[in-house]
Amino acid sequence: MKKKKDIKVLLVDDEVEFVDTLAQRLKMRDLLVDVVYNGEQALSFIRKTSPDVIVLDLKMPGLHGIEVLKEIKKSASEIQVIILTGHGTDKDEDEARRLGGFDFLRKPADIDLLVAKIKEAFAEKVERAMTAIAFAEEGALDTARKIIKKEE
Amino acid sequence: MGLEKQHELRIAQLNFIGKVLSVFTHELNNHLAIIKESAGLLEDIMKFQKAQDKESLAESLKTIYAVEAQVSKSAWLIKNLNSFGHRMDKPVTSFSINECIEELLILLNRLLNQRRVTAEKRFQENLPLMDGDPAMAQLLIFCLINECLGKIGEEGRIILETGYIKGLIRIIIKPEGSLKAGPVDLFCQEAPPEHIALLLGGSITRDNGGVSVLLPLMQDMG
């Protein structure tokens, strides 16, 4: 199991002051944090590197967070996504969970709750990866792929 | 101006209010989130760097906790105001009458407190959702709460009860305490509660100072 310092988190939010401050607070809690300010930047970022957990805003200029979530789950389904929004409706929450979002938090969220959710999301990712490896080692590649993609 | 035109104008006005509220609360919530994170960062710096003596550190932290608590409370209020604004997004949508009343009571809390009136909720759980205009339903409930406030003297309480009877949603609203005699001013003379209930396809019965409202699950839009 990775130490907290090794958990790579990407924050995606167009509210620069908010997200920069949040990044500082998460870094103080020993998380490895990167920040981007819109959905396009987030998708570009994950093409180059793979964070463990993405904390994603919904209402941003350009790509809406739900669209970003769809793209992430299509191209890098192993990345866990936590929605952190100020204005998400119940419909947004249902949609985000249906698309594979790990959790849905509303701003302003408690920092300890957010860190706990990041750790939970990371732990689930690791567990899934280990289960998938076990299946892959036994030759059940299709099952392993489905586990990684959260299809079963 | 004809009645139909007035009605259309009223709908436009409601949409406008809803829009402004939604936009405003969106903006304000962002500000609150920034304040909360800034206060949180200050708290983190104090905790992690331990640059102050114990006593002043405790005092500073206490102040910061108070700021954070207040911001959280404000955010909760704003969330309800935002939700209230969104009730006016569409004239027909599925909604929970219990949530509509709850939200209204949160927003009217100050009004009730000023009159030393408490609201007692006796909601039936798991009521079926209604299809119709939640903003109009809230307007109806508001008018009836307003009537109760007019009847209650210095102190008292308003009982708000919901239930489901024979395919209809029933809402009972009644004042308790030292009640004033005589007629009560309506919130809007042009739109008495009976008229609003009719628009929602329902009816109102009055007895012993209380009001019983029956509303269909599906509002007739014809």
Side-chain angles (χ1 to χ4, degrees), chain B residues 45-104:
Chain B
I45 291 166
M46 289 174 169
K47 272 185 189 166
F48 289 99
Q49 295 187 346
K50 294 184 173 61
Q52 299 180 32
D53 64 85
K54 215 171 174 179
E55 201 175 317
S56 59
L57 175 69
E59 194 57 38
S60 302
L61 286 175
K62 194 178 147 195
T63 309
I64 290 165
Y65 292 147
V67 171
E68 284 188 303
Q70 199 55 43
V71 169
S72 297
K73 195 175 167 187
S74 305
W76 177 73
L77 286 171
I78 294 296
K79 178 182 160 290
N80 280 283
L81 187 58
N82 180 268
S83 173
F84 171 74
H86 280 299
R87 299 277 182 205
M88 297 168 215
D89 284 353
K90 293 176 187 169
V92 183
T93 188
S94 291
F95 65 97
S96 149
I97 193 69
N98 286 351
E99 282 177 18
C100 276
I101 298 174
E102 176 85 46
E103 184 179 284
L104 202 54

Short mmCIF file of all heavy atoms in Angstrom, two decimals, chain B residues 45-104:
data_model
loop_
_atom_site.label_atom_id
_atom_site.label_comp_id
_atom_site.label_asym_id
_atom_site.label_seq_id
_atom_site.Cartn_x
_atom_site.Cartn_y
_atom_site.Cartn_z
N ILE B 45 -1.86 26.43 8.89
CA ILE B 45 -0.54 27.03 9.10
C ILE B 45 -0.23 27.08 10.60
O ILE B 45 0.86 26.73 11.05
CB ILE B 45 -0.49 28.45 8.49
CG1 ILE B 45 -0.53 28.35 6.96
CG2 ILE B 45 0.76 29.22 8.94
CD1 ILE B 45 -0.81 29.66 6.25
N MET B 46 -1.24 27.49 11.39
CA MET B 46 -1.04 27.57 12.84
C MET B 46 -0.76 26.20 13.44
O MET B 46 0.10 26.03 14.28
CB MET B 46 -2.26 28.19 13.51
CG MET B 46 -2.38 29.66 13.22
SD MET B 46 -3.93 30.26 13.89
CE MET B 46 -3.69 32.00 13.72
N LYS B 47 -1.54 25.24 12.99
CA LYS B 47 -1.40 23.90 13.54
C LYS B 47 -0.05 23.28 13.14
O LYS B 47 0.66 22.73 13.98
CB LYS B 47 -2.51 23.00 12.99
CG LYS B 47 -3.77 23.00 13.80
CD LYS B 47 -4.71 21.97 13.18
CE LYS B 47 -6.09 22.03 13.78
NZ LYS B 47 -7.05 21.29 12.98
N PHE B 48 0.28 23.38 11.87
CA PHE B 48 1.46 22.68 11.37
C PHE B 48 2.77 23.39 11.74
O PHE B 48 3.77 22.75 11.97
CB PHE B 48 1.37 22.48 9.85
CG PHE B 48 0.35 21.47 9.43
CD1 PHE B 48 -0.91 21.85 9.00
CD2 PHE B 48 0.62 20.11 9.49
CE1 PHE B 48 -1.87 20.91 8.63
CE2 PHE B 48 -0.33 19.16 9.13
CZ PHE B 48 -1.58 19.56 8.70
N GLN B 49 2.73 24.73 11.78
CA GLN B 49 3.98 25.45 12.05
C GLN B 49 4.20 25.72 13.54
O GLN B 49 5.30 26.01 13.96
CB GLN B 49 4.01 26.76 11.26
CG GLN B 49 4.03 26.50 9.76
CD GLN B 49 4.23 27.75 8.95
OE1 GLN B 49 4.10 28.86 9.46
NE2 GLN B 49 4.55 27.58 7.67
N LYS B 50 3.13 25.70 14.31
CA LYS B 50 3.23 25.92 15.76
C LYS B 50 4.06 27.16 16.11
O LYS B 50 4.94 27.12 16.98
CB LYS B 50 3.82 24.68 16.44
CG LYS B 50 2.92 23.46 16.33
CD LYS B 50 3.52 22.29 17.09
CE LYS B 50 2.59 21.12 17.16
NZ LYS B 50 2.19 20.53 15.91
N ALA B 51 3.80 28.28 15.42
CA ALA B 51 4.61 29.47 15.58
C ALA B 51 4.19 30.34 16.78
O ALA B 51 4.89 31.25 17.18
CB ALA B 51 4.54 30.31 14.32
N GLN B 52 3.01 30.03 17.34
CA GLN B 52 2.52 30.90 18.41
C GLN B 52 2.57 30.20 19.77
O GLN B 52 2.73 28.99 19.84
CB GLN B 52 1.07 31.27 18.12
CG GLN B 52 0.90 32.03 16.82
CD GLN B 52 -0.56 32.36 16.59
OE1 GLN B 52 -1.30 32.59 17.53
NE2 GLN B 52 -0.96 32.39 15.35
N ASP B 53 2.42 31.02 20.86
CA ASP B 53 2.35 30.39 22.16
C ASP B 53 0.99 29.70 22.30
O ASP B 53 0.05 30.00 21.56
CB ASP B 53 2.58 31.41 23.28
CG ASP B 53 1.48 32.44 23.32
OD1 ASP B 53 0.45 32.16 23.94
OD2 ASP B 53 1.65 33.51 22.69
N LYS B 54 0.90 28.82 23.27
CA LYS B 54 -0.26 27.93 23.38
C LYS B 54 -1.58 28.69 23.54
O LYS B 54 -2.59 28.37 22.91
CB LYS B 54 -0.04 27.01 24.58
CG LYS B 54 -0.59 25.63 24.38
CD LYS B 54 -0.15 24.73 25.51
CE LYS B 54 -0.81 23.39 25.42
NZ LYS B 54 -0.37 22.50 26.49
N GLU B 55 -1.54 29.74 24.39
CA GLU B 55 -2.78 30.46 24.70
C GLU B 55 -3.33 31.22 23.49
O GLU B 55 -4.51 31.13 23.17
CB GLU B 55 -2.50 31.45 25.84
CG GLU B 55 -3.77 31.86 26.56
CD GLU B 55 -3.42 32.74 27.76
OE1 GLU B 55 -2.45 32.42 28.48
OE2 GLU B 55 -4.11 33.74 27.92
N SER B 56 -2.43 31.95 22.82
CA SER B 56 -2.90 32.72 21.67
C SER B 56 -3.27 31.81 20.50
O SER B 56 -4.16 32.12 19.71
CB SER B 56 -1.86 33.76 21.24
OG SER B 56 -0.66 33.13 20.90
N LEU B 57 -2.58 30.69 20.43
CA LEU B 57 -2.91 29.73 19.39
C LEU B 57 -4.35 29.22 19.59
O LEU B 57 -5.15 29.16 18.66
CB LEU B 57 -1.93 28.55 19.41
CG LEU B 57 -2.24 27.42 18.44
CD1 LEU B 57 -2.02 27.86 17.00
CD2 LEU B 57 -1.37 26.20 18.73
N ALA B 58 -4.67 28.91 20.86
CA ALA B 58 -6.01 28.41 21.17
C ALA B 58 -7.06 29.46 20.83
O ALA B 58 -8.12 29.15 20.26
CB ALA B 58 -6.09 28.05 22.65
N GLU B 59 -6.74 30.71 21.13
CA GLU B 59 -7.67 31.81 20.87
C GLU B 59 -7.88 32.00 19.36
O GLU B 59 -9.01 32.16 18.88
CB GLU B 59 -7.12 33.09 21.51
CG GLU B 59 -8.12 34.22 21.60
CD GLU B 59 -9.39 33.86 22.36
OE1 GLU B 59 -9.32 33.13 23.37
OE2 GLU B 59 -10.44 34.31 21.91
N SER B 60 -6.76 31.96 18.65
CA SER B 60 -6.84 32.13 17.19
C SER B 60 -7.65 31.00 16.56
O SER B 60 -8.49 31.22 15.69
CB SER B 60 -5.43 32.11 16.57
OG SER B 60 -4.66 33.13 17.13
N LEU B 61 -7.38 29.80 17.03
CA LEU B 61 -8.09 28.65 16.48
C LEU B 61 -9.58 28.74 16.76
O LEU B 61 -10.42 28.44 15.90
CB LEU B 61 -7.53 27.34 17.04
CG LEU B 61 -6.16 26.93 16.50
CD1 LEU B 61 -5.66 25.68 17.22
CD2 LEU B 61 -6.21 26.66 15.00
N LYS B 62 -9.92 29.21 17.96
CA LYS B 62 -11.32 29.35 18.34
C LYS B 62 -12.03 30.32 17.38
O LYS B 62 -13.15 30.07 16.93
CB LYS B 62 -11.39 29.88 19.79
CG LYS B 62 -12.75 29.77 20.42
CD LYS B 62 -12.68 30.27 21.85
CE LYS B 62 -13.98 30.93 22.25
NZ LYS B 62 -13.86 31.72 23.47
N THR B 63 -11.33 31.42 17.08
CA THR B 63 -11.90 32.42 16.17
C THR B 63 -12.09 31.81 14.77
O THR B 63 -13.12 32.01 14.13
CB THR B 63 -10.95 33.63 16.06
OG1 THR B 63 -10.63 34.05 17.39
CG2 THR B 63 -11.60 34.77 15.31
N ILE B 64 -11.09 31.10 14.36
CA ILE B 64 -11.18 30.51 13.01
C ILE B 64 -12.29 29.46 12.94
O ILE B 64 -13.04 29.40 11.98
CB ILE B 64 -9.82 29.92 12.60
CG1 ILE B 64 -8.83 31.06 12.37
CG2 ILE B 64 -9.93 29.07 11.34
CD1 ILE B 64 -7.39 30.64 12.32
N TYR B 65 -12.43 28.68 14.00
CA TYR B 65 -13.51 27.69 14.02
C TYR B 65 -14.87 28.39 13.91
O TYR B 65 -15.77 27.90 13.24
CB TYR B 65 -13.48 26.87 15.32
CG TYR B 65 -12.30 25.95 15.45
CD1 TYR B 65 -11.74 25.67 16.69
CD2 TYR B 65 -11.75 25.32 14.33
CE1 TYR B 65 -10.65 24.83 16.83
CE2 TYR B 65 -10.66 24.46 14.45
CZ TYR B 65 -10.11 24.23 15.71
OH TYR B 65 -9.04 23.38 15.82
N ALA B 66 -14.98 29.54 14.59
CA ALA B 66 -16.25 30.29 14.55
C ALA B 66 -16.54 30.78 13.13
O ALA B 66 -17.67 30.71 12.66
CB ALA B 66 -16.18 31.47 15.51
N VAL B 67 -15.49 31.25 12.46
CA VAL B 67 -15.65 31.70 11.07
C VAL B 67 -16.12 30.52 10.21
O VAL B 67 -17.08 30.63 9.44
CB VAL B 67 -14.33 32.27 10.51
CG1 VAL B 67 -14.44 32.54 9.01
CG2 VAL B 67 -13.96 33.56 11.24
N GLU B 68 -15.45 29.42 10.39
CA GLU B 68 -15.79 28.23 9.59
C GLU B 68 -17.22 27.76 9.86
O GLU B 68 -17.96 27.43 8.93
CB GLU B 68 -14.83 27.08 9.88
CG GLU B 68 -13.47 27.29 9.23
CD GLU B 68 -12.58 26.07 9.36
OE1 GLU B 68 -12.33 25.64 10.51
OE2 GLU B 68 -12.15 25.55 8.34
N ALA B 69 -17.60 27.79 11.13
CA ALA B 69 -18.95 27.33 11.49
C ALA B 69 -19.99 28.24 10.85
O ALA B 69 -21.01 27.79 10.32
CB ALA B 69 -19.11 27.30 13.00
N GLN B 70 -19.70 29.54 10.90
CA GLN B 70 -20.65 30.50 10.34
C GLN B 70 -20.75 30.35 8.82
O GLN B 70 -21.84 30.44 8.24
CB GLN B 70 -20.21 31.92 10.71
CG GLN B 70 -21.31 32.96 10.59
CD GLN B 70 -22.56 32.60 11.37
OE1 GLN B 70 -22.48 32.14 12.52
NE2 GLN B 70 -23.72 32.76 10.76
N VAL B 71 -19.61 30.14 8.21
CA VAL B 71 -19.60 29.96 6.75
C VAL B 71 -20.40 28.70 6.38
O VAL B 71 -21.19 28.72 5.44
CB VAL B 71 -18.15 29.88 6.21
CG1 VAL B 71 -18.14 29.43 4.77
CG2 VAL B 71 -17.48 31.24 6.34
N SER B 72 -20.20 27.64 7.14
CA SER B 72 -20.93 26.41 6.84
C SER B 72 -22.43 26.63 6.97
O SER B 72 -23.22 26.15 6.14
CB SER B 72 -20.51 25.29 7.80
OG SER B 72 -19.15 25.00 7.61
N LYS B 73 -22.81 27.37 8.00
CA LYS B 73 -24.23 27.66 8.21
C LYS B 73 -24.78 28.50 7.06
O LYS B 73 -25.87 28.24 6.54
CB LYS B 73 -24.38 28.42 9.54
CG LYS B 73 -25.77 28.47 10.08
CD LYS B 73 -25.76 29.13 11.45
CE LYS B 73 -27.16 29.50 11.88
NZ LYS B 73 -27.15 30.28 13.12
N SER B 74 -24.00 29.49 6.66
CA SER B 74 -24.42 30.36 5.55
C SER B 74 -24.56 29.54 4.27
O SER B 74 -25.50 29.73 3.50
CB SER B 74 -23.41 31.48 5.31
OG SER B 74 -23.20 32.20 6.49
N ALA B 75 -23.60 28.66 4.06
CA ALA B 75 -23.63 27.84 2.85
C ALA B 75 -24.88 26.97 2.82
O ALA B 75 -25.50 26.77 1.78
CB ALA B 75 -22.39 26.97 2.77
N TRP B 76 -25.26 26.47 3.99
CA TRP B 76 -26.47 25.65 4.08
C TRP B 76 -27.71 26.47 3.73
O TRP B 76 -28.60 26.02 3.01
CB TRP B 76 -26.56 25.08 5.50
CG TRP B 76 -27.77 24.28 5.78
CD1 TRP B 76 -28.05 23.02 5.31
CD2 TRP B 76 -28.88 24.67 6.59
NE1 TRP B 76 -29.27 22.60 5.79
CE2 TRP B 76 -29.80 23.58 6.58
CE3 TRP B 76 -29.19 25.80 7.33
CZ2 TRP B 76 -31.00 23.62 7.27
CZ3 TRP B 76 -30.39 25.84 8.02
CH2 TRP B 76 -31.28 24.76 8.00
N LEU B 77 -27.74 27.71 4.23
CA LEU B 77 -28.87 28.59 3.90
C LEU B 77 -28.91 28.91 2.42
O LEU B 77 -29.95 28.89 1.78
CB LEU B 77 -28.77 29.90 4.71
CG LEU B 77 -29.10 29.80 6.18
CD1 LEU B 77 -28.74 31.09 6.90
CD2 LEU B 77 -30.58 29.51 6.38
N ILE B 78 -27.73 29.20 1.89
CA ILE B 78 -27.63 29.54 0.47
C ILE B 78 -28.07 28.35 -0.39
O ILE B 78 -28.73 28.51 -1.41
CB ILE B 78 -26.17 29.94 0.12
CG1 ILE B 78 -25.79 31.24 0.82
CG2 ILE B 78 -25.97 30.06 -1.38
CD1 ILE B 78 -26.57 32.43 0.41
N LYS B 79 -27.69 27.16 0.06
CA LYS B 79 -28.08 25.95 -0.69
C LYS B 79 -29.61 25.87 -0.78
O LYS B 79 -30.16 25.55 -1.83
CB LYS B 79 -27.51 24.72 0.03
CG LYS B 79 -27.87 23.41 -0.59
CD LYS B 79 -27.29 22.28 0.25
CE LYS B 79 -27.99 20.97 -0.01
NZ LYS B 79 -29.35 20.88 0.49
N ASN B 80 -30.27 26.18 0.33
CA ASN B 80 -31.73 26.14 0.32
C ASN B 80 -32.33 27.25 -0.55
O ASN B 80 -33.33 27.05 -1.23
CB ASN B 80 -32.27 26.24 1.75
CG ASN B 80 -32.20 24.91 2.44
OD1 ASN B 80 -33.02 24.04 2.20
ND2 ASN B 80 -31.19 24.71 3.27
N LEU B 81 -31.68 28.40 -0.53
CA LEU B 81 -32.15 29.51 -1.37
C LEU B 81 -31.97 29.16 -2.85
O LEU B 81 -32.82 29.45 -3.69
CB LEU B 81 -31.38 30.79 -1.02
CG LEU B 81 -31.86 32.08 -1.66
CD1 LEU B 81 -33.32 32.36 -1.33
CD2 LEU B 81 -31.00 33.25 -1.23
N ASN B 82 -30.85 28.54 -3.15
CA ASN B 82 -30.56 28.10 -4.51
C ASN B 82 -31.62 27.10 -4.98
O ASN B 82 -32.15 27.19 -6.09
CB ASN B 82 -29.15 27.49 -4.55
CG ASN B 82 -28.78 27.01 -5.94
OD1 ASN B 82 -29.01 25.86 -6.27
ND2 ASN B 82 -28.22 27.89 -6.75
N SER B 83 -31.93 26.15 -4.10
CA SER B 83 -32.92 25.13 -4.43
C SER B 83 -34.30 25.79 -4.64
O SER B 83 -35.03 25.44 -5.56
CB SER B 83 -32.95 24.13 -3.28
OG SER B 83 -33.97 23.23 -3.46
N PHE B 84 -34.60 26.79 -3.81
CA PHE B 84 -35.85 27.54 -3.94
C PHE B 84 -35.90 28.22 -5.31
O PHE B 84 -36.94 28.19 -5.99
CB PHE B 84 -35.92 28.58 -2.82
CG PHE B 84 -37.05 29.56 -2.93
CD1 PHE B 84 -38.35 29.19 -2.66
CD2 PHE B 84 -36.80 30.88 -3.29
CE1 PHE B 84 -39.39 30.10 -2.76
CE2 PHE B 84 -37.82 31.80 -3.39
CZ PHE B 84 -39.12 31.41 -3.13
N GLY B 85 -34.79 28.81 -5.72
CA GLY B 85 -34.72 29.45 -7.03
C GLY B 85 -34.98 28.47 -8.15
O GLY B 85 -35.72 28.74 -9.09
N HIS B 86 -34.39 27.28 -8.01
CA HIS B 86 -34.55 26.27 -9.06
C HIS B 86 -35.96 25.69 -9.13
O HIS B 86 -36.33 25.09 -10.13
CB HIS B 86 -33.53 25.15 -8.87
CG HIS B 86 -32.18 25.50 -9.39
ND1 HIS B 86 -31.96 25.79 -10.72
CD2 HIS B 86 -30.98 25.63 -8.77
CE1 HIS B 86 -30.67 26.09 -10.88
NE2 HIS B 86 -30.07 26.00 -9.72
N ARG B 87 -36.75 25.87 -8.07
CA ARG B 87 -38.14 25.41 -8.11
C ARG B 87 -38.89 26.10 -9.24
O ARG B 87 -39.94 25.64 -9.67
CB ARG B 87 -38.87 25.72 -6.79
CG ARG B 87 -38.27 25.06 -5.58
CD ARG B 87 -38.75 23.64 -5.41
NE ARG B 87 -38.19 23.05 -4.21
CZ ARG B 87 -38.02 21.76 -4.03
NH1 ARG B 87 -38.34 20.91 -4.99
NH2 ARG B 87 -37.52 21.28 -2.92
N MET B 88 -38.40 27.25 -9.67
CA MET B 88 -39.11 28.03 -10.69
C MET B 88 -38.57 27.76 -12.10
O MET B 88 -39.00 28.39 -13.06
CB MET B 88 -38.99 29.51 -10.36
CG MET B 88 -39.66 29.85 -9.03
SD MET B 88 -39.25 31.49 -8.46
CE MET B 88 -39.19 31.27 -6.70
N ASP B 89 -37.62 26.84 -12.21
CA ASP B 89 -37.03 26.54 -13.52
C ASP B 89 -38.09 26.10 -14.53
O ASP B 89 -38.08 26.51 -15.68
CB ASP B 89 -35.99 25.42 -13.41
CG ASP B 89 -34.69 25.92 -12.79
OD1 ASP B 89 -34.57 27.14 -12.59
OD2 ASP B 89 -33.81 25.08 -12.50
N LYS B 90 -38.95 25.18 -14.08
CA LYS B 90 -39.95 24.61 -15.00
C LYS B 90 -41.32 24.65 -14.34
O LYS B 90 -41.43 24.40 -13.14
CB LYS B 90 -39.61 23.14 -15.29
CG LYS B 90 -38.34 22.93 -16.06
CD LYS B 90 -38.11 21.43 -16.18
CE LYS B 90 -36.75 21.17 -16.81
NZ LYS B 90 -36.39 19.75 -16.69
N PRO B 91 -42.37 24.93 -15.13
CA PRO B 91 -43.72 24.96 -14.53
C PRO B 91 -44.23 23.56 -14.18
O PRO B 91 -45.13 23.42 -13.37
CB PRO B 91 -44.58 25.62 -15.60
CG PRO B 91 -43.85 25.44 -16.87
CD PRO B 91 -42.39 25.32 -16.54
N VAL B 92 -43.64 22.53 -14.81
CA VAL B 92 -44.07 21.15 -14.49
C VAL B 92 -42.84 20.29 -14.23
O VAL B 92 -41.97 20.16 -15.09
CB VAL B 92 -44.87 20.51 -15.64
CG1 VAL B 92 -45.36 19.12 -15.24
CG2 VAL B 92 -46.04 21.38 -16.03
N THR B 93 -42.79 19.74 -13.04
CA THR B 93 -41.68 18.85 -12.69
C THR B 93 -42.10 17.96 -11.52
O THR B 93 -43.10 18.22 -10.87
CB THR B 93 -40.41 19.68 -12.35
OG1 THR B 93 -39.31 18.82 -12.21
CG2 THR B 93 -40.58 20.47 -11.07
N SER B 94 -41.34 16.90 -11.28
CA SER B 94 -41.65 16.04 -10.14
C SER B 94 -41.04 16.64 -8.88
O SER B 94 -39.89 17.09 -8.92
CB SER B 94 -41.05 14.65 -10.35
OG SER B 94 -41.73 14.00 -11.37
N PHE B 95 -41.80 16.64 -7.81
CA PHE B 95 -41.26 17.21 -6.58
C PHE B 95 -41.87 16.55 -5.35
O PHE B 95 -42.96 15.99 -5.41
CB PHE B 95 -41.45 18.72 -6.54
CG PHE B 95 -42.88 19.17 -6.48
CD1 PHE B 95 -43.47 19.50 -5.27
CD2 PHE B 95 -43.65 19.27 -7.64
CE1 PHE B 95 -44.81 19.92 -5.22
CE2 PHE B 95 -44.98 19.68 -7.60
CZ PHE B 95 -45.55 20.01 -6.38
N SER B 96 -41.14 16.68 -4.25
CA SER B 96 -41.62 16.16 -2.97
C SER B 96 -42.23 17.32 -2.19
O SER B 96 -41.57 18.33 -1.97
CB SER B 96 -40.44 15.56 -2.20
OG SER B 96 -40.65 15.69 -0.81
N ILE B 97 -43.48 17.16 -1.79
CA ILE B 97 -44.14 18.25 -1.05
C ILE B 97 -43.46 18.47 0.31
O ILE B 97 -43.33 19.61 0.77
CB ILE B 97 -45.67 18.00 -0.90
CG1 ILE B 97 -46.38 19.27 -0.44
CG2 ILE B 97 -45.97 16.87 0.05
CD1 ILE B 97 -46.44 20.38 -1.45
N ASN B 98 -42.98 17.38 0.92
CA ASN B 98 -42.29 17.54 2.21
C ASN B 98 -41.04 18.40 2.05
O ASN B 98 -40.77 19.28 2.87
CB ASN B 98 -41.89 16.17 2.77
CG ASN B 98 -43.08 15.41 3.33
OD1 ASN B 98 -44.17 15.96 3.44
ND2 ASN B 98 -42.88 14.15 3.67
N GLU B 99 -40.26 18.13 0.98
CA GLU B 99 -39.04 18.93 0.75
C GLU B 99 -39.37 20.38 0.48
O GLU B 99 -38.67 21.29 0.93
CB GLU B 99 -38.24 18.35 -0.42
CG GLU B 99 -37.46 17.11 -0.05
CD GLU B 99 -36.73 16.49 -1.24
OE1 GLU B 99 -36.55 17.17 -2.27
OE2 GLU B 99 -36.35 15.31 -1.13
N CYS B 100 -40.46 20.61 -0.28
CA CYS B 100 -40.87 21.98 -0.60
C CYS B 100 -41.20 22.76 0.68
O CYS B 100 -40.81 23.92 0.84
CB CYS B 100 -42.10 21.97 -1.49
SG CYS B 100 -41.72 21.78 -3.22
N ILE B 101 -41.95 22.10 1.58
CA ILE B 101 -42.36 22.78 2.83
C ILE B 101 -41.14 23.00 3.72
O ILE B 101 -40.94 24.09 4.28
CB ILE B 101 -43.44 21.96 3.57
CG1 ILE B 101 -44.69 21.82 2.69
CG2 ILE B 101 -43.80 22.63 4.89
CD1 ILE B 101 -45.77 20.90 3.27
N GLU B 102 -40.30 21.97 3.82
CA GLU B 102 -39.08 22.05 4.64
C GLU B 102 -38.21 23.23 4.21
O GLU B 102 -37.75 24.04 5.03
CB GLU B 102 -38.31 20.74 4.49
CG GLU B 102 -36.97 20.69 5.18
CD GLU B 102 -37.09 20.28 6.64
OE1 GLU B 102 -37.82 19.32 6.89
OE2 GLU B 102 -36.46 20.93 7.48
N GLU B 103 -38.01 23.32 2.89
CA GLU B 103 -37.17 24.38 2.32
C GLU B 103 -37.76 25.77 2.64
O GLU B 103 -37.05 26.68 3.04
CB GLU B 103 -37.15 24.15 0.82
CG GLU B 103 -36.29 25.04 -0.01
CD GLU B 103 -36.44 24.57 -1.45
OE1 GLU B 103 -35.85 23.53 -1.80
OE2 GLU B 103 -37.18 25.21 -2.21
N LEU B 104 -39.07 25.87 2.48
CA LEU B 104 -39.74 27.14 2.75
C LEU B 104 -39.59 27.54 4.22
O LEU B 104 -39.34 28.70 4.54
CB LEU B 104 -41.23 26.99 2.39
CG LEU B 104 -42.03 28.24 2.09
CD1 LEU B 104 -41.36 29.07 1.02
CD2 LEU B 104 -43.44 27.86 1.66
#
